[in-house]
Amino acid sequence: MRKINPEKLAGLSTANASLDEKYGPLGSQQREQFNEESIAWFYGNMLRERRKELNMTQKQLAERLGREQSYIARVESGKADIQLSSFFRIAAVLGIQFIPTFAN
């Protein structure tokens, strides 16, 4: 087994340091925009992967929702700012169920 060299390890930057450098520190407008886009992409990707698991096209999903295929494409790529109710409708059609939990 290889030993980790502490000197090399200390020279590595963290993910947060890299994000700070590229998008600014937490709380900055540019970093907040990056965070929002990242979250939108994550959830869009989750919906796309489930749709593909079901062998469903974007057009088929759109038809079941009464929407346009281009809307589904924007959601899946994280380019659409959708409401939570729309997200839940899409998830329901894809057989994804969310159970809310509340933490103190």
Side-chain angles (χ1 to χ4, degrees):
M1 183 177 272
R2 279 188 135 173
K3 285 190 168 187
I4 296 176
N5 182 333
E7 292 173 9
K8 284 186 179 180
L9 188 60
L12 296 175
S13 67
T14 65
N16 279 331
S18 295
L19 290 172
D20 286 349
E21 186 177 317
K22 187 167 184 173
Y23 300 103
L26 281 174
S28 69
Q29 184 178 358
Q30 190 176 4
R31 182 71 170 270
E32 291 304 314
Q33 182 178 348
F34 168 78
N35 288 341
E36 288 176 17
E37 290 172 359
S38 297
I39 291 168
W41 178 87
F42 173 80
Y43 285 110
N45 188 60
M46 181 182 68
L47 295 173
R48 177 178 49 250
E49 291 301 314
R50 178 63 179 154
R51 176 184 58 76
K52 288 181 176 183
E53 286 175 7
L54 298 172
N55 294 316
M56 185 183 294
T57 65
Q58 287 181 343
K59 184 174 180 174
Q60 290 169 328
L61 177 57
E63 287 171 353
R64 290 191 59 187
L65 293 164
R67 302 298 300 251
E68 298 291 323
Q69 178 273 330
S70 60
Y71 172 74
I72 300 302
R74 288 193 318 276
V75 168
E76 289 184 353
S77 66
K79 303 296 183 203
D81 186 16
I82 66 172
Q83 294 180 345
L84 189 57
S85 59
S86 297
F87 177 80
F88 284 143
R89 275 198 305 278
I90 296 169
V93 168
L94 296 173
I96 300 170
Q97 182 181 15
F98 292 94
I99 300 169
T101 57
F102 301 93
N104 291 335

